[in-house]
Amino acid sequence: MSENSKDKKVITISREFGSGGRLIGKRLAEKLGVPYYDSDTINDRISEESGFAKEMFAGAEKKAKNSFLYSLTSAMGTGESGPESLSLNERVFLAQFDAIRKIADEGPCVIVGRCADYILRGLPYATNVFIYAEEEDKIRRAVEEYGVPEDKVRKVMKETDKARANYYAYHTGRKWGEHVNFNLSLDSGYLEIDDIVDLIILYSERQIWRNTSIDE
């Protein structure tokens, strides 16, 4: 990593389904005037840099709905040593790891999802945020803004968050959404999106920078 600097501020956002975390991330990047990255843009980059076809790793998080099956498929390598022995899930995560590290090294940005808080853990100029909300607020947003059918919204919400939790736990060894993994956790149901964006910016500007590194 290059020399630490507040000018290289990186903000990662993890979120519950329906909490508006992706929209918050986009607004945040727009207001700061920095690049925005999510699963689609990161997958595009991995495809370009690694040679993987996008179809090979699209929806990796969704495959983790069942933690046992995901762990099983992730453990099934070729039986050899070295990178060739890794499963596709593991090779994709390593490519994602490298891409996010490079993105953070390039300059200020906002990254939504993709275990970015873990991948950039200890980075002194990173602010890791978790967005959550009460169930009724998430259901309303999912129906009104995401277009999820009302009779299916609870199922979609439960399965999406379960997949995110399993994916995160498998690759990081941490519990998804646990407060100790983040600098700031916010309930999006009690504030307008622009007010949440302003709060995150204020926190990142006032944050105490520590002389630690993810390489240590």
Side-chain angles (χ1 to χ4, degrees):
M1 286 287 172
S2 355
E3 185 179 354
N4 298 342
S5 167
K6 290 186 181 183
D7 294 333
K8 288 189 62 178
K9 186 187 317 179
V10 176
I11 298 176
T12 75
I13 296 186
S14 301
R15 76 285 185 215
E16 293 181 342
F17 183 81
S19 67
R22 187 185 295 266
L23 177 57
I24 291 167
K26 286 182 177 179
R27 293 270 187 92
L28 184 60
E30 289 171 4
K31 189 152 190 175
L32 291 172
V34 302
Y36 166 84
Y37 296 93
D38 58 16
S39 58
D40 292 334
T41 52
I42 291 173
N43 285 350
D44 286 340
R45 179 153 176 164
I46 295 172
S47 181
E48 291 173 6
E49 295 183 354
S50 69
F52 284 142
K54 283 186 67 176
E55 293 76 19
M56 292 175 66
F57 50 80
E61 200 174 72
K62 293 180 181 179
K63 297 173 186 175
K65 288 180 183 178
N66 185 303
S67 59
F68 172 75
L69 292 179
Y70 187 76
S71 298
L72 184 63
T73 57
S74 294
M76 291 175 65
T78 64
E80 302 172 356
S81 60
E84 297 79 9
S85 67
L86 299 176
S87 70
L88 177 60
N89 290 340
E90 290 169 330
R91 280 181 282 165
V92 167
F93 183 77
L94 288 177
Q96 174 181 293
F97 188 101
D98 290 341
I100 289 174
R101 290 280 293 265
K102 289 176 183 176
I103 286 168
D105 201 37
E106 290 168 358
C109 61
V110 174
I111 305 173
V112 174
R114 304 293 87 194
C115 299
D117 62 286
Y118 172 79
I119 293 170
L120 302 179
R121 65 195 183 283
L123 192 71
Y125 44 84
T127 302
N128 299 315
V129 180
F130 189 82
I131 306 295
Y132 64 97
E134 294 177 13
E135 183 176 75
E136 291 307 312
D137 291 322
K138 291 187 292 185
I139 289 173
R140 176 184 50 77
R141 179 176 279 113
V143 171
E144 295 177 1
E145 299 182 27
Y146 302 175
V148 180
E150 194 166 356
D151 60 338
K152 297 180 180 178
V153 65
R154 281 186 168 82
K155 182 175 185 292
V156 171
M157 186 166 64
K158 181 179 179 180
E159 289 184 349
T160 302
D161 282 348
K162 183 179 179 181
R164 288 174 179 171
N166 291 340
Y167 180 87
Y168 187 87
Y170 179 84
H171 289 294
T172 71
R174 296 178 172 188
K175 184 178 180 181
W176 180 71
E178 194 167 39
H179 69 278
V180 295
N181 297 329
F182 301 93
N183 302 110
L184 181 65
S185 295
L186 287 168
D187 185 334
S188 63
Y190 290 85
L191 291 168
E192 297 294 336
I193 296 294
D194 287 332
D195 291 329
I196 294 173
V197 167
D198 288 341
L199 268 177
I200 294 172
I201 292 173
L202 178 62
Y203 184 96
S204 68
E205 289 174 345
R206 301 291 180 87
Q207 185 175 340
I208 298 172
W209 302 90
R210 302 182 186 277
N211 294 319
T212 58
S213 168
I214 56 178
D215 294 319
E216 291 180 353

